[in-house]
Every structure is written in structure tokens, then in C-alpha cells.
Amino acid sequence: MILKFFEHIGQKTTDFFLSIYEAMQFTALCLIHMVQPKSYNPAMRMVLIKQIYFTAVGIIPLFIMMAFLFGSVIIGVVIALATQYNLQSQIGSIIVTFALNEFSPFFTALLISLRSGTAVNTEIAVMNVNKELNTLKEYKIDLIDYLFLPRILSGIVSVTSLSILFAIIMLGSGYIFTLFYMGMDLHTYQTLLANAVGVDNLLILLLKSVAFGFVTMLIPIYSGLKTANAYTAIPISVLNGMVKLFIAIFFIEVLSLVLQSL
Amino acid sequence: MISNLNMLENIALIKEVHELLPTQEAQAHAIESLRLIDLEHIGLNRLNQCTSLEVFYVMVIRAMMAKEEVIFIVTPFFLIKKLARIEPVLEKLVLLNKEQKNIIILDNLTNQSHYKGDLCNIIK
């Protein structure tokens, strides 16, 4: 009984580390292909353009609306709290840090995960179950070059560009709230932001967006690839993929906070 | 067949990847092949919008786009639903086979009578 218990724990631990090793191997393989010029063939470029359109362009109206709604409310709360605690002198850096470093990339990553991450996971899982991936292999078409790389790159491009858009909208909303709470005019607000924004803020925004974009596509792709050979396995694959993706997003967020606090 | 691509894209993909042809040029080759057998109208259709016969021809054209010299067709009577006569199919294969590739059809002995007197040699 005790022996079986330890065997079970041992098996689970081995499986866990093996799956991490496999995932790392897959990530490394994708990164290697990303820097190889031969990966960028006409078919891949066409898929990349389509993916960027589906992921970044198609979502713009909804995204702008969400950015206005959530961005305004959040920045409003932050400004109200800063005023309440007499932090008016720090308001520029508070807004910049909150909008650029924290909320914009995080919210964008969540939205893209929900919309495109699930779609990509399902697409790869269906292709896997239908043996379409085998067809591509039979024709000696590299799956990483043709299927995975365009999706990963589109994730990086989309999350980064939409994060910047989100940050701009959020900073715009910030002006409305500073106008109401502090009676601040536009010129003062602009000067305040210009003084508060540093290269490090922009660098953090870019690095976090790239990291979020990378995992937003990589994890659903990997999860889709691991789907068992049955249609009933597709929802399970999407479910597992999304859970892992959300854990990865939170992990990156926490890691960036830790690194910033050093 | 790749379900998220239309018929033209399915055919053109091979030349885009292996011969690095631009998408438009590769699709022009695909349209040309489909036109040979009067199927250019299915170019923009997805898998679910085509009959099994149309899908069969697209699969053959796609195979002809590859560099391999031998094409195997396994049990066409199973692939094409309600196929009564193989002659029209064989005639179209001849039309498509401009590069004179070897086309080998593998079928069950029970279907042997369908091929007698046709454009192919029967090897048991």
C-alpha cells in the first residue's frame, strides 16, 4: 500500500519533469526556427499575414472599447487613490508605471489568450485529430515553419502592438480623470507624463509584451499537438492549454514584478 | 487535405514550400491544373464544400505538384463515393499527368473488373 503510494508519487513526478523537458525542447526548437531565414518561405509569410490580421486587426474595435471601459475605470481608481493619499506629486510616475508596465501588457495578454489562444489550440487539436498534420509531414512540410512559427510571431506582434495601443488609450483616459480630480490642464498632464516616462518603462512594456505574446501562442500550440486521437479529446486539450497559459501569464507577471523590485 | 485552406491553397502550398514560388504564381499553377479538368470553379471552396470526386482530383493535382515521380492512389472506389465507372477518372488523370509521372492504383481484386480494357495495365 505504502509502496504503491510512493510509486504513484514517483511516477507523477517523473511525468511532470518529462513534460516540462519536452515543452522546453519544443520551445527551443521554435526559437531556433525563428532565427533561421529559410523558415520564412512564401507559404509561411502568407500564414503570418493572415494570423496577424485575425489576431490583431480583427479585434481592434472590441479592443478599443474594452481599453476605454477598463482602462478608464482602473486609471480613475488609481488617480482617486493617489489624490486621497496626497500623492499628487507622484501622479505622473504612478500613471506611467501602472499603465505602461503593469496593466496594458497584462490585460492585452489576457484578451488575446481568450480570443486567439483558444482558437489556435482548437485549430491545432482538430488538425491533429484529423491527421492533417500527418499530411503536411508526408509532403515534407515543416510543421514549425508552416504552422507554428507564423502563429507565434503573430502572437508577439499582436500583443506588443495592442499593448501599446492600450497604454495610449489608458494614458488618454488618465487625462480626463486628472482634469476632474485635480483640475489639471492638458499641457501640464503632457509634461508630467513626458517627465515620468523613462526608457526602462518602454523596455519593460516591450519585453513583457513579447514574453506574453510568445506564451499566448506557444502553449496553445503545444497543447493542441498533445491532443489524444479522438474528437472528445479536443475540449480537454483546450481546457488544459488554457489553464497552463493562464499560469504562464501570471508567472511572467510575478517574475517581472520581482525583477523590477530588485 | 488541410481543412483550413481552400482547394487552390491546398494545391499551391506544395510549390510555395518546396520551390519557394510566390503565392500568386503557385496558385496560378493550381488554377491551370484545375482548368484542365473543368474544375476551376472549386478553387475557392473549402473541404466541406466539395464532393468526394472533386477532393480526389485536388489530392491528385497536389500530389503532381510534388517532386516525387511515383503517385500511389489507394482504393479509388473507397475514396470516391458512388463511383460507378473508373474510365472518366482515368481519362482525367491522363489529362493532368503532363509530367508523365508513374501513377499506380492499388485496389482490391474484387474491383478488378472495373479496370479491364481501360487506360492502365493490371498487375496482380
Side-chain angles (χ1 to χ4, degrees), chain B residues 10-56:
Chain B
N10 261 293
I11 299 167
L13 178 63
I14 312 298
K15 280 196 181 283
E16 285 176 70
V17 173
H18 294 304
E19 295 176 30
L20 302 178
L21 282 189
T23 305
Q24 281 186 330
E25 206 177 315
Q27 291 197 358
H29 281 281
I31 292 175
E32 198 185 310
S33 299
L34 285 173
R35 196 172 287 134
L36 281 175
I37 50 171
D38 300 321
L39 280 183
E40 66 264 37
H41 62 279
I42 65 158
L44 299 177
N45 287 5
R46 293 285 175 104
L47 191 60
N48 60 343
Q49 296 168 300
C50 294
T51 64
S52 60
L53 182 64
E54 289 165 347
V55 172
F56 172 80

mmCIF file of all heavy atoms in Angstrom, chain B residues 10-56:
data_model
loop_
_atom_site.group_PDB
_atom_site.id
_atom_site.type_symbol
_atom_site.label_atom_id
_atom_site.label_comp_id
_atom_site.label_asym_id
_atom_site.label_seq_id
_atom_site.Cartn_x
_atom_site.Cartn_y
_atom_site.Cartn_z
ATOM 1 N N ASN B 10 -4.523 24.566 -50.981
ATOM 2 C CA ASN B 10 -4.041 23.209 -50.729
ATOM 3 C C ASN B 10 -3.067 22.758 -51.802
ATOM 4 O O ASN B 10 -2.022 22.165 -51.501
ATOM 5 C CB ASN B 10 -5.225 22.237 -50.687
ATOM 6 C CG ASN B 10 -5.651 21.919 -49.272
ATOM 7 O OD1 ASN B 10 -4.912 21.289 -48.540
ATOM 8 N ND2 ASN B 10 -6.831 22.371 -48.881
ATOM 9 N N ILE B 11 -3.415 23.069 -53.058
ATOM 10 C CA ILE B 11 -2.545 22.645 -54.167
ATOM 11 C C ILE B 11 -1.270 23.496 -54.197
ATOM 12 O O ILE B 11 -0.160 22.980 -54.341
ATOM 13 C CB ILE B 11 -3.295 22.756 -55.515
ATOM 14 C CG1 ILE B 11 -4.538 21.850 -55.534
ATOM 15 C CG2 ILE B 11 -2.378 22.401 -56.680
ATOM 16 C CD1 ILE B 11 -5.492 22.116 -56.689
ATOM 17 N N ALA B 12 -1.460 24.812 -54.052
ATOM 18 C CA ALA B 12 -0.333 25.746 -54.197
ATOM 19 C C ALA B 12 0.713 25.586 -53.089
ATOM 20 O O ALA B 12 1.894 25.856 -53.308
ATOM 21 C CB ALA B 12 -0.851 27.175 -54.218
ATOM 22 N N LEU B 13 0.257 25.124 -51.935
ATOM 23 C CA LEU B 13 1.143 25.010 -50.770
ATOM 24 C C LEU B 13 2.442 24.254 -51.083
ATOM 25 O O LEU B 13 3.530 24.660 -50.655
ATOM 26 C CB LEU B 13 0.377 24.314 -49.637
ATOM 27 C CG LEU B 13 1.131 24.052 -48.346
ATOM 28 C CD1 LEU B 13 1.552 25.353 -47.707
ATOM 29 C CD2 LEU B 13 0.257 23.263 -47.380
ATOM 30 N N ILE B 14 2.327 23.164 -51.855
ATOM 31 C CA ILE B 14 3.497 22.321 -52.145
ATOM 32 C C ILE B 14 4.571 23.125 -52.881
ATOM 33 O O ILE B 14 5.746 23.089 -52.523
ATOM 34 C CB ILE B 14 3.079 21.092 -53.001
ATOM 35 C CG1 ILE B 14 1.840 20.408 -52.406
ATOM 36 C CG2 ILE B 14 4.235 20.124 -53.182
ATOM 37 C CD1 ILE B 14 2.012 19.854 -51.036
ATOM 38 N N LYS B 15 4.143 23.849 -53.905
ATOM 39 C CA LYS B 15 5.132 24.627 -54.680
ATOM 40 C C LYS B 15 5.659 25.829 -53.883
ATOM 41 O O LYS B 15 6.798 26.227 -54.055
ATOM 42 C CB LYS B 15 4.509 25.086 -55.998
ATOM 43 C CG LYS B 15 4.492 23.979 -57.048
ATOM 44 C CD LYS B 15 4.242 24.515 -58.429
ATOM 45 C CE LYS B 15 4.210 23.415 -59.468
ATOM 46 N NZ LYS B 15 5.538 22.924 -59.832
ATOM 47 N N GLU B 16 4.801 26.388 -53.040
ATOM 48 C CA GLU B 16 5.238 27.528 -52.207
ATOM 49 C C GLU B 16 6.353 27.100 -51.260
ATOM 50 O O GLU B 16 7.319 27.831 -51.049
ATOM 51 C CB GLU B 16 4.069 28.073 -51.391
ATOM 52 C CG GLU B 16 3.078 28.889 -52.191
ATOM 53 C CD GLU B 16 1.914 29.305 -51.324
ATOM 54 O OE1 GLU B 16 2.107 30.143 -50.441
ATOM 55 O OE2 GLU B 16 0.807 28.774 -51.515
ATOM 56 N N VAL B 17 6.199 25.911 -50.684
ATOM 57 C CA VAL B 17 7.173 25.456 -49.682
ATOM 58 C C VAL B 17 8.419 24.877 -50.340
ATOM 59 O O VAL B 17 9.538 25.221 -49.961
ATOM 60 C CB VAL B 17 6.528 24.425 -48.720
ATOM 61 C CG1 VAL B 17 7.571 23.829 -47.791
ATOM 62 C CG2 VAL B 17 5.423 25.072 -47.917
ATOM 63 N N HIS B 18 8.238 24.006 -51.334
ATOM 64 C CA HIS B 18 9.393 23.297 -51.889
ATOM 65 C C HIS B 18 10.108 24.048 -53.005
ATOM 66 O O HIS B 18 11.308 23.890 -53.179
ATOM 67 C CB HIS B 18 8.974 21.905 -52.362
ATOM 68 C CG HIS B 18 8.544 21.031 -51.232
ATOM 69 N ND1 HIS B 18 9.363 20.777 -50.156
ATOM 70 C CD2 HIS B 18 7.390 20.380 -50.975
ATOM 71 C CE1 HIS B 18 8.727 20.002 -49.299
ATOM 72 N NE2 HIS B 18 7.515 19.751 -49.774
ATOM 73 N N GLU B 19 9.358 24.827 -53.774
ATOM 74 C CA GLU B 19 10.015 25.564 -54.868
ATOM 75 C C GLU B 19 10.102 27.056 -54.572
ATOM 76 O O GLU B 19 10.554 27.833 -55.412
ATOM 77 C CB GLU B 19 9.262 25.321 -56.181
ATOM 78 C CG GLU B 19 9.333 23.867 -56.625
ATOM 79 C CD GLU B 19 8.520 23.587 -57.870
ATOM 80 O OE1 GLU B 19 8.371 24.489 -58.706
ATOM 81 O OE2 GLU B 19 8.008 22.462 -57.980
ATOM 82 N N LEU B 20 9.619 27.452 -53.396
ATOM 83 C CA LEU B 20 9.632 28.841 -52.924
ATOM 84 C C LEU B 20 8.965 29.793 -53.928
ATOM 85 O O LEU B 20 9.368 30.949 -54.072
ATOM 86 C CB LEU B 20 11.051 29.307 -52.604
ATOM 87 C CG LEU B 20 11.822 28.500 -51.566
ATOM 88 C CD1 LEU B 20 13.226 29.037 -51.387
ATOM 89 C CD2 LEU B 20 11.100 28.492 -50.223
ATOM 90 N N LEU B 21 7.937 29.282 -54.611
ATOM 91 C CA LEU B 21 7.204 30.135 -55.559
ATOM 92 C C LEU B 21 6.338 31.117 -54.779
ATOM 93 O O LEU B 21 5.769 30.760 -53.750
ATOM 94 C CB LEU B 21 6.281 29.291 -56.441
ATOM 95 C CG LEU B 21 6.876 28.514 -57.608
ATOM 96 C CD1 LEU B 21 5.755 27.949 -58.468
ATOM 97 C CD2 LEU B 21 7.767 29.381 -58.467
ATOM 98 N N PRO B 22 6.221 32.358 -55.271
ATOM 99 C CA PRO B 22 5.294 33.283 -54.600
ATOM 100 C C PRO B 22 3.858 32.727 -54.661
ATOM 101 O O PRO B 22 3.530 31.997 -55.604
ATOM 102 C CB PRO B 22 5.407 34.562 -55.438
ATOM 103 C CG PRO B 22 6.667 34.419 -56.206
ATOM 104 C CD PRO B 22 6.907 32.962 -56.391
ATOM 105 N N THR B 23 3.052 33.088 -53.685
ATOM 106 C CA THR B 23 1.701 32.518 -53.566
ATOM 107 C C THR B 23 0.903 32.664 -54.865
ATOM 108 O O THR B 23 0.264 31.701 -55.314
ATOM 109 C CB THR B 23 0.964 33.205 -52.398
ATOM 110 O OG1 THR B 23 1.778 33.069 -51.245
ATOM 111 C CG2 THR B 23 -0.386 32.582 -52.134
ATOM 112 N N GLN B 24 0.941 33.850 -55.469
ATOM 113 C CA GLN B 24 0.134 34.083 -56.684
ATOM 114 C C GLN B 24 0.562 33.159 -57.823
ATOM 115 O O GLN B 24 -0.285 32.605 -58.531
ATOM 116 C CB GLN B 24 0.281 35.536 -57.124
ATOM 117 C CG GLN B 24 -0.591 36.481 -56.291
ATOM 118 C CD GLN B 24 -0.551 37.894 -56.825
ATOM 119 O OE1 GLN B 24 0.437 38.304 -57.398
ATOM 120 N NE2 GLN B 24 -1.638 38.628 -56.610
ATOM 121 N N GLU B 25 1.879 32.992 -57.962
ATOM 122 C CA GLU B 25 2.393 32.144 -59.039
ATOM 123 C C GLU B 25 2.012 30.676 -58.799
ATOM 124 O O GLU B 25 1.591 29.980 -59.732
ATOM 125 C CB GLU B 25 3.914 32.293 -59.103
ATOM 126 C CG GLU B 25 4.486 32.009 -60.470
ATOM 127 C CD GLU B 25 5.984 32.241 -60.495
ATOM 128 O OE1 GLU B 25 6.439 33.273 -59.958
ATOM 129 O OE2 GLU B 25 6.687 31.382 -61.041
ATOM 130 N N ALA B 26 2.150 30.251 -57.556
ATOM 131 C CA ALA B 26 1.809 28.865 -57.212
ATOM 132 C C ALA B 26 0.318 28.616 -57.419
ATOM 133 O O ALA B 26 -0.086 27.557 -57.911
ATOM 134 C CB ALA B 26 2.195 28.583 -55.761
ATOM 135 N N GLN B 27 -0.496 29.618 -57.073
ATOM 136 C CA GLN B 27 -1.946 29.450 -57.258
ATOM 137 C C GLN B 27 -2.318 29.483 -58.739
ATOM 138 O O GLN B 27 -3.297 28.847 -59.142
ATOM 139 C CB GLN B 27 -2.696 30.533 -56.474
ATOM 140 C CG GLN B 27 -2.569 30.315 -54.960
ATOM 141 C CD GLN B 27 -3.596 31.076 -54.158
ATOM 142 O OE1 GLN B 27 -4.402 31.816 -54.699
ATOM 143 N NE2 GLN B 27 -3.560 30.901 -52.850
ATOM 144 N N ALA B 28 -1.540 30.197 -59.544
ATOM 145 C CA ALA B 28 -1.794 30.210 -60.991
ATOM 146 C C ALA B 28 -1.586 28.804 -61.561
ATOM 147 O O ALA B 28 -2.373 28.342 -62.396
ATOM 148 C CB ALA B 28 -0.870 31.206 -61.667
ATOM 149 N N HIS B 29 -0.540 28.108 -61.084
ATOM 150 C CA HIS B 29 -0.305 26.716 -61.499
ATOM 151 C C HIS B 29 -1.494 25.845 -61.095
ATOM 152 O O HIS B 29 -1.926 24.983 -61.864
ATOM 153 C CB HIS B 29 0.949 26.165 -60.820
ATOM 154 C CG HIS B 29 2.222 26.610 -61.463
ATOM 155 N ND1 HIS B 29 2.711 26.043 -62.617
ATOM 156 C CD2 HIS B 29 3.103 27.572 -61.118
ATOM 157 C CE1 HIS B 29 3.841 26.643 -62.948
ATOM 158 N NE2 HIS B 29 4.102 27.580 -62.054
ATOM 159 N N ALA B 30 -1.991 26.092 -59.877
ATOM 160 C CA ALA B 30 -3.104 25.291 -59.358
ATOM 161 C C ALA B 30 -4.359 25.502 -60.195
ATOM 162 O O ALA B 30 -5.037 24.531 -60.567
ATOM 163 C CB ALA B 30 -3.366 25.670 -57.899
ATOM 164 N N ILE B 31 -4.640 26.760 -60.542
ATOM 165 C CA ILE B 31 -5.835 27.063 -61.355
ATOM 166 C C ILE B 31 -5.706 26.401 -62.737
ATOM 167 O O ILE B 31 -6.669 25.823 -63.245
ATOM 168 C CB ILE B 31 -6.024 28.595 -61.516
ATOM 169 C CG1 ILE B 31 -6.399 29.215 -60.178
ATOM 170 C CG2 ILE B 31 -7.123 28.907 -62.538
ATOM 171 C CD1 ILE B 31 -6.491 30.730 -60.201
ATOM 172 N N GLU B 32 -4.500 26.472 -63.280
ATOM 173 C CA GLU B 32 -4.252 25.885 -64.594
ATOM 174 C C GLU B 32 -4.574 24.384 -64.582
ATOM 175 O O GLU B 32 -5.234 23.877 -65.497
ATOM 176 C CB GLU B 32 -2.777 26.104 -64.937
ATOM 177 C CG GLU B 32 -2.438 25.961 -66.402
ATOM 178 C CD GLU B 32 -0.935 26.088 -66.599
ATOM 179 O OE1 GLU B 32 -0.349 27.058 -66.081
ATOM 180 O OE2 GLU B 32 -0.361 25.203 -67.232
ATOM 181 N N SER B 33 -4.139 23.708 -63.536
ATOM 182 C CA SER B 33 -4.401 22.269 -63.431
ATOM 183 C C SER B 33 -5.892 21.987 -63.249
ATOM 184 O O SER B 33 -6.425 21.053 -63.847
ATOM 185 C CB SER B 33 -3.632 21.662 -62.258
ATOM 186 O OG SER B 33 -2.267 21.832 -62.454
ATOM 187 N N LEU B 34 -6.544 22.806 -62.434
ATOM 188 C CA LEU B 34 -7.978 22.599 -62.212
ATOM 189 C C LEU B 34 -8.756 22.858 -63.505
ATOM 190 O O LEU B 34 -9.751 22.174 -63.792
ATOM 191 C CB LEU B 34 -8.490 23.532 -61.106
ATOM 192 C CG LEU B 34 -8.132 23.169 -59.666
ATOM 193 C CD1 LEU B 34 -8.546 24.268 -58.707
ATOM 194 C CD2 LEU B 34 -8.810 21.862 -59.242
ATOM 195 N N ARG B 35 -8.275 23.823 -64.299
ATOM 196 C CA ARG B 35 -8.954 24.175 -65.555
ATOM 197 C C ARG B 35 -8.886 23.014 -66.550
ATOM 198 O O ARG B 35 -9.835 22.797 -67.312
ATOM 199 C CB ARG B 35 -8.314 25.430 -66.149
ATOM 200 C CG ARG B 35 -9.181 26.094 -67.223
ATOM 201 C CD ARG B 35 -8.617 27.421 -67.657
ATOM 202 N NE ARG B 35 -8.811 28.442 -66.631
ATOM 203 C CZ ARG B 35 -7.858 29.295 -66.233
ATOM 204 N NH1 ARG B 35 -6.666 29.256 -66.785
ATOM 205 N NH2 ARG B 35 -8.113 30.194 -65.317
ATOM 206 N N LEU B 36 -7.801 22.260 -66.495
ATOM 207 C CA LEU B 36 -7.645 21.114 -67.411
ATOM 208 C C LEU B 36 -8.784 20.112 -67.282
ATOM 209 O O LEU B 36 -9.147 19.439 -68.243
ATOM 210 C CB LEU B 36 -6.321 20.390 -67.109
ATOM 211 C CG LEU B 36 -5.041 20.997 -67.650
ATOM 212 C CD1 LEU B 36 -3.847 20.199 -67.146
ATOM 213 C CD2 LEU B 36 -5.049 21.001 -69.171
ATOM 214 N N ILE B 37 -9.315 20.013 -66.074
ATOM 215 C CA ILE B 37 -10.401 19.040 -65.860
ATOM 216 C C ILE B 37 -11.716 19.758 -65.522
ATOM 217 O O ILE B 37 -12.589 19.204 -64.855
ATOM 218 C CB ILE B 37 -10.024 18.014 -64.760
ATOM 219 C CG1 ILE B 37 -9.516 18.721 -63.504
ATOM 220 C CG2 ILE B 37 -8.996 17.028 -65.267
ATOM 221 C CD1 ILE B 37 -9.323 17.809 -62.315
ATOM 222 N N ASP B 38 -11.815 21.006 -65.947
ATOM 223 C CA ASP B 38 -13.037 21.821 -65.773
ATOM 224 C C ASP B 38 -13.479 21.935 -64.310
ATOM 225 O O ASP B 38 -14.671 21.836 -63.999
ATOM 226 C CB ASP B 38 -14.191 21.251 -66.616
ATOM 227 C CG ASP B 38 -13.833 21.231 -68.093
ATOM 228 O OD1 ASP B 38 -13.202 22.202 -68.542
ATOM 229 O OD2 ASP B 38 -14.159 20.229 -68.768
ATOM 230 N N LEU B 39 -12.516 22.131 -63.436
ATOM 231 C CA LEU B 39 -12.876 22.259 -62.008
ATOM 232 C C LEU B 39 -12.405 23.596 -61.414
ATOM 233 O O LEU B 39 -12.304 23.715 -60.191
ATOM 234 C CB LEU B 39 -12.259 21.109 -61.199
ATOM 235 C CG LEU B 39 -12.973 19.767 -61.229
ATOM 236 C CD1 LEU B 39 -12.259 18.776 -60.320
ATOM 237 C CD2 LEU B 39 -14.430 19.869 -60.813
ATOM 238 N N GLU B 40 -12.135 24.573 -62.272
ATOM 239 C CA GLU B 40 -11.610 25.836 -61.726
ATOM 240 C C GLU B 40 -12.600 26.515 -60.782
ATOM 241 O O GLU B 40 -12.196 27.287 -59.915
ATOM 242 C CB GLU B 40 -11.161 26.795 -62.839
ATOM 243 C CG GLU B 40 -12.244 27.322 -63.747
ATOM 244 C CD GLU B 40 -12.385 26.520 -65.027
ATOM 245 O OE1 GLU B 40 -12.232 25.276 -64.964
ATOM 246 O OE2 GLU B 40 -12.664 27.114 -66.067
ATOM 247 N N HIS B 41 -13.888 26.177 -60.918
ATOM 248 C CA HIS B 41 -14.901 26.794 -60.055
ATOM 249 C C HIS B 41 -14.801 26.355 -58.587
ATOM 250 O O HIS B 41 -15.370 27.003 -57.711
ATOM 251 C CB HIS B 41 -16.312 26.501 -60.595
ATOM 252 C CG HIS B 41 -16.635 25.049 -60.629
ATOM 253 N ND1 HIS B 41 -16.214 24.218 -61.650
ATOM 254 C CD2 HIS B 41 -17.301 24.263 -59.759
ATOM 255 C CE1 HIS B 41 -16.631 22.991 -61.396
ATOM 256 N NE2 HIS B 41 -17.286 22.994 -60.260
ATOM 257 N N ILE B 42 -14.081 25.257 -58.324
ATOM 258 C CA ILE B 42 -13.979 24.814 -56.916
ATOM 259 C C ILE B 42 -12.751 25.404 -56.213
ATOM 260 O O ILE B 42 -12.509 25.120 -55.047
ATOM 261 C CB ILE B 42 -13.960 23.268 -56.769
ATOM 262 C CG1 ILE B 42 -12.691 22.689 -57.424
ATOM 263 C CG2 ILE B 42 -15.213 22.637 -57.324
ATOM 264 C CD1 ILE B 42 -12.329 21.325 -56.878
ATOM 265 N N GLY B 43 -11.998 26.228 -56.920
ATOM 266 C CA GLY B 43 -10.743 26.757 -56.387
ATOM 267 C C GLY B 43 -10.857 27.380 -55.008
ATOM 268 O O GLY B 43 -10.017 27.181 -54.142
ATOM 269 N N LEU B 44 -11.926 28.143 -54.806
ATOM 270 C CA LEU B 44 -12.047 28.849 -53.526
ATOM 271 C C LEU B 44 -12.868 28.075 -52.488
ATOM 272 O O LEU B 44 -13.118 28.565 -51.387
ATOM 273 C CB LEU B 44 -12.671 30.237 -53.754
ATOM 274 C CG LEU B 44 -11.847 31.167 -54.663
ATOM 275 C CD1 LEU B 44 -12.562 32.476 -54.885
ATOM 276 C CD2 LEU B 44 -10.460 31.422 -54.072
ATOM 277 N N ASN B 45 -13.296 26.870 -52.870
ATOM 278 C CA ASN B 45 -14.101 26.064 -51.935
ATOM 279 C C ASN B 45 -13.222 25.431 -50.855
ATOM 280 O O ASN B 45 -12.074 25.096 -51.098
ATOM 281 C CB ASN B 45 -14.808 24.934 -52.679
ATOM 282 C CG ASN B 45 -15.962 25.449 -53.522
ATOM 283 O OD1 ASN B 45 -16.165 26.651 -53.625
ATOM 284 N ND2 ASN B 45 -16.705 24.549 -54.125
ATOM 285 N N ARG B 46 -13.817 25.257 -49.684
ATOM 286 C CA ARG B 46 -13.156 24.505 -48.614
ATOM 287 C C ARG B 46 -13.540 23.032 -48.738
ATOM 288 O O ARG B 46 -14.430 22.681 -49.518
ATOM 289 C CB ARG B 46 -13.590 25.037 -47.233
ATOM 290 C CG ARG B 46 -13.122 26.451 -46.932
ATOM 291 C CD ARG B 46 -11.648 26.463 -46.591
ATOM 292 N NE ARG B 46 -11.146 27.819 -46.405
ATOM 293 C CZ ARG B 46 -10.891 28.364 -45.239
ATOM 294 N NH1 ARG B 46 -11.116 27.691 -44.131
ATOM 295 N NH2 ARG B 46 -10.398 29.579 -45.170
ATOM 296 N N LEU B 47 -12.907 22.209 -47.929
ATOM 297 C CA LEU B 47 -13.099 20.759 -47.983
ATOM 298 C C LEU B 47 -14.576 20.353 -47.904
ATOM 299 O O LEU B 47 -15.048 19.509 -48.667
ATOM 300 C CB LEU B 47 -12.307 20.127 -46.835
ATOM 301 C CG LEU B 47 -12.154 18.627 -46.827
ATOM 302 C CD1 LEU B 47 -11.451 18.130 -48.077
ATOM 303 C CD2 LEU B 47 -11.380 18.183 -45.600
ATOM 304 N N ASN B 48 -15.311 20.990 -46.987
ATOM 305 C CA ASN B 48 -16.712 20.599 -46.779
ATOM 306 C C ASN B 48 -17.640 21.056 -47.904
ATOM 307 O O ASN B 48 -18.801 20.671 -47.950
ATOM 308 C CB ASN B 48 -17.212 21.113 -45.426
ATOM 309 C CG ASN B 48 -17.132 22.614 -45.318
ATOM 310 O OD1 ASN B 48 -16.423 23.268 -46.092
ATOM 311 N ND2 ASN B 48 -17.850 23.185 -44.372
ATOM 312 N N GLN B 49 -17.118 21.890 -48.810
ATOM 313 C CA GLN B 49 -17.958 22.385 -49.911
ATOM 314 C C GLN B 49 -17.719 21.585 -51.194
ATOM 315 O O GLN B 49 -18.303 21.900 -52.217
ATOM 316 C CB GLN B 49 -17.647 23.869 -50.174
ATOM 317 C CG GLN B 49 -18.006 24.781 -49.004
ATOM 318 C CD GLN B 49 -17.419 26.171 -49.202
ATOM 319 O OE1 GLN B 49 -16.216 26.343 -49.312
ATOM 320 N NE2 GLN B 49 -18.298 27.157 -49.248
ATOM 321 N N CYS B 50 -16.870 20.584 -51.133
ATOM 322 C CA CYS B 50 -16.536 19.821 -52.339
ATOM 323 C C CYS B 50 -17.062 18.393 -52.234
ATOM 324 O O CYS B 50 -17.189 17.842 -51.137
ATOM 325 C CB CYS B 50 -15.021 19.755 -52.511
ATOM 326 S SG CYS B 50 -14.296 21.340 -52.838
ATOM 327 N N THR B 51 -17.337 17.790 -53.396
ATOM 328 C CA THR B 51 -17.737 16.381 -53.410
ATOM 329 C C THR B 51 -16.477 15.530 -53.267
ATOM 330 O O THR B 51 -15.362 16.029 -53.440
ATOM 331 C CB THR B 51 -18.424 16.030 -54.744
ATOM 332 O OG1 THR B 51 -17.450 16.187 -55.787
ATOM 333 C CG2 THR B 51 -19.620 16.925 -55.019
ATOM 334 N N SER B 52 -16.700 14.247 -52.993
ATOM 335 C CA SER B 52 -15.539 13.363 -52.822
ATOM 336 C C SER B 52 -14.739 13.251 -54.121
ATOM 337 O O SER B 52 -13.516 13.106 -54.086
ATOM 338 C CB SER B 52 -16.001 11.986 -52.342
ATOM 339 O OG SER B 52 -16.882 11.428 -53.284
ATOM 340 N N LEU B 53 -15.421 13.338 -55.271
ATOM 341 C CA LEU B 53 -14.725 13.266 -56.558
ATOM 342 C C LEU B 53 -13.829 14.496 -56.742
ATOM 343 O O LEU B 53 -12.675 14.376 -57.170
ATOM 344 C CB LEU B 53 -15.745 13.171 -57.706
ATOM 345 C CG LEU B 53 -15.159 13.031 -59.109
ATOM 346 C CD1 LEU B 53 -14.398 11.715 -59.257
ATOM 347 C CD2 LEU B 53 -16.237 13.110 -60.181
ATOM 348 N N GLU B 54 -14.376 15.667 -56.393
ATOM 349 C CA GLU B 54 -13.583 16.902 -56.514
ATOM 350 C C GLU B 54 -12.370 16.864 -55.583
ATOM 351 O O GLU B 54 -11.261 17.237 -55.975
ATOM 352 C CB GLU B 54 -14.460 18.122 -56.204
ATOM 353 C CG GLU B 54 -15.496 18.411 -57.294
ATOM 354 C CD GLU B 54 -16.596 19.363 -56.845
ATOM 355 O OE1 GLU B 54 -16.732 19.627 -55.633
ATOM 356 O OE2 GLU B 54 -17.341 19.834 -57.722
ATOM 357 N N VAL B 55 -12.603 16.389 -54.361
ATOM 358 C CA VAL B 55 -11.497 16.284 -53.396
ATOM 359 C C VAL B 55 -10.434 15.320 -53.924
ATOM 360 O O VAL B 55 -9.235 15.578 -53.827
ATOM 361 C CB VAL B 55 -12.025 15.824 -52.009
ATOM 362 C CG1 VAL B 55 -10.877 15.522 -51.060
ATOM 363 C CG2 VAL B 55 -12.936 16.879 -51.413
ATOM 364 N N PHE B 56 -10.891 14.229 -54.537
ATOM 365 C CA PHE B 56 -9.967 13.243 -55.107
ATOM 366 C C PHE B 56 -9.073 13.892 -56.165
ATOM 367 O O PHE B 56 -7.844 13.736 -56.142
ATOM 368 C CB PHE B 56 -10.768 12.080 -55.718
ATOM 369 C CG PHE B 56 -9.937 11.107 -56.489
ATOM 370 C CD1 PHE B 56 -9.207 10.119 -55.852
ATOM 371 C CD2 PHE B 56 -9.866 11.189 -57.881
ATOM 372 C CE1 PHE B 56 -8.430 9.231 -56.571
ATOM 373 C CE2 PHE B 56 -9.083 10.307 -58.607
ATOM 374 C CZ PHE B 56 -8.372 9.321 -57.954
#
